[in-house]
Amino acid sequence: MTATPIRLLLVDDDPLVRAGLALMIGGAEDIDIVGEAADGAEAEELVRRTAPDVVLMDLRMPSVDGLTATRRLRARPDAPQVVVLTTFHADEQVLHALRAGAAGFVLKDTPPAEIVDAVRRVAAGDPVLSPAVTRQLMRHAAGSAADVRRARARERLAVLNDREREVAVAVGRGFANARIATELFMSVATVKTHVSRILARLGLDNRVQIALLAHDAGWLENDDGDQAQVRGSGRRR
């Protein structure tokens, strides 16, 4: 039985970029481009009409920009996954989009095969963000209002139990489920259960947001010290 194609919406204010993306992705038999939009407002309307699984979203657009559109789309029932299109590895707008629920980002000069793979991965529920890029974005965000952000993050994370905190730290370090299972001596299925519970308890959309919150709390700054602090803070509750 043939799998249902992934429904993809392209959003960019540059028609040449949209045409290039359509050309690159159009050859993939398992991806169906259901529409193209020139700004965030048009994207919202097309999402209502075409119900895409994934949206490739430019950030810098006139009228309604990609960040605003991402927030609005991720707040919808049956929200599509959003992958941010950008020209920068570490950009404040990208970080805001990830916090708003984007499942990751790809650079506009990414090879076509990698863009297609990113669409497939996001449609399958996997974030498109390597550990190296995660660390770069986190360093980029570390400069402003760190103390306030840390206090707020720790307050939110206080609802997690000891094991969930350890899993959150491992997710924050960019570990895949198999490695988390090995590091914490549990099955992959148990890891997936913990990740699902963490997302539900914290009201988050994806693993990228867990990583950002663990970073904000200061849990990733020192391997030994923070692991001890995470475990110890759970025992004191």
Side-chain angles (χ1 to χ4, degrees):
M1 183 176 177
T2 304
T4 302
I6 299 165
R7 299 173 62 80
L8 177 67
L9 175 65
L10 304 177
V11 186
D12 196 294
D13 63 322
D14 188 336
L16 291 179
V17 171
R18 296 199 307 274
L21 289 169
L23 182 64
M24 286 189 293
I25 299 171
E29 294 183 358
D30 59 337
I31 299 176
D32 182 13
I33 298 175
V34 297
E36 299 181 16
D39 67 13
E42 189 178 352
E44 291 180 72
E45 176 60 27
L46 281 175
V47 165
R48 283 191 287 270
R49 286 164 41 196
T50 65
D53 302 304
V54 179
V55 177
L56 274 179
M57 178 80 74
D58 187 24
L59 287 180
R60 291 173 172 82
M61 297 181 292
S63 184
V64 178
D65 62 26
L67 175 58
T68 301
T70 297
R71 287 198 186 103
R72 292 175 179 174
L73 292 182
R74 291 302 300 163
R76 291 173 55 86
D78 301 321
Q81 296 293 339
V82 176
V83 179
V84 169
L85 285 166
T86 181
T87 55
F88 300 99
H89 279 282
D91 179 81
E92 191 70 24
Q93 290 291 94
V94 174
L95 185 65
H96 288 321
L98 294 174
R99 293 187 188 280
F105 73 87
V106 294
L107 298 176
K108 289 189 176 181
D109 60 357
T110 298
E114 293 183 23
I115 293 180
V116 171
D117 181 61
V119 172
R120 290 172 176 152
R121 286 170 55 195
V122 166
D126 296 325
V128 183
L129 203 63
S130 70
V133 173
T134 301
R135 289 192 294 272
Q136 187 176 8
L137 280 167
M138 288 174 175
R139 285 196 299 270
H140 181 76
S144 61
D147 291 340
V148 173
R149 193 167 58 246
R150 176 168 298 192
R152 289 175 177 170
R154 290 185 176 180
E155 183 178 356
R156 288 187 68 185
L157 290 164
V159 301
L160 303 183
N161 62 35
D162 290 358
R163 207 57 163 157
E164 289 165 347
R165 291 172 187 223
E166 290 176 337
V167 172
V169 168
V171 170
R173 294 196 173 107
F175 295 170
N177 288 341
R179 181 169 177 183
I180 297 174
T182 300
E183 295 277 340
L184 299 181
F185 305 102
M186 62 177 69
S187 69
V188 172
T190 301
V191 173
K192 291 180 179 177
T193 297
H194 281 307
V195 171
S196 295
R197 287 176 179 170
I198 291 167
L199 291 170
R201 288 193 175 195
L202 299 177
L204 302 178
D205 289 313
N206 54 49
R207 295 166 71 104
V208 174
Q209 291 180 325
I210 295 176
L212 291 170
L213 197 57
H215 168 266
D216 287 349
W219 287 3
L220 310 181
E221 293 174 359
N222 179 289
D223 284 1
D224 295 332
D226 281 333
Q227 284 283 24
Q229 178 182 354
V230 168
R231 289 193 293 269
S233 63
R235 285 193 297 267
R236 287 193 297 270
R237 292 178 61 227

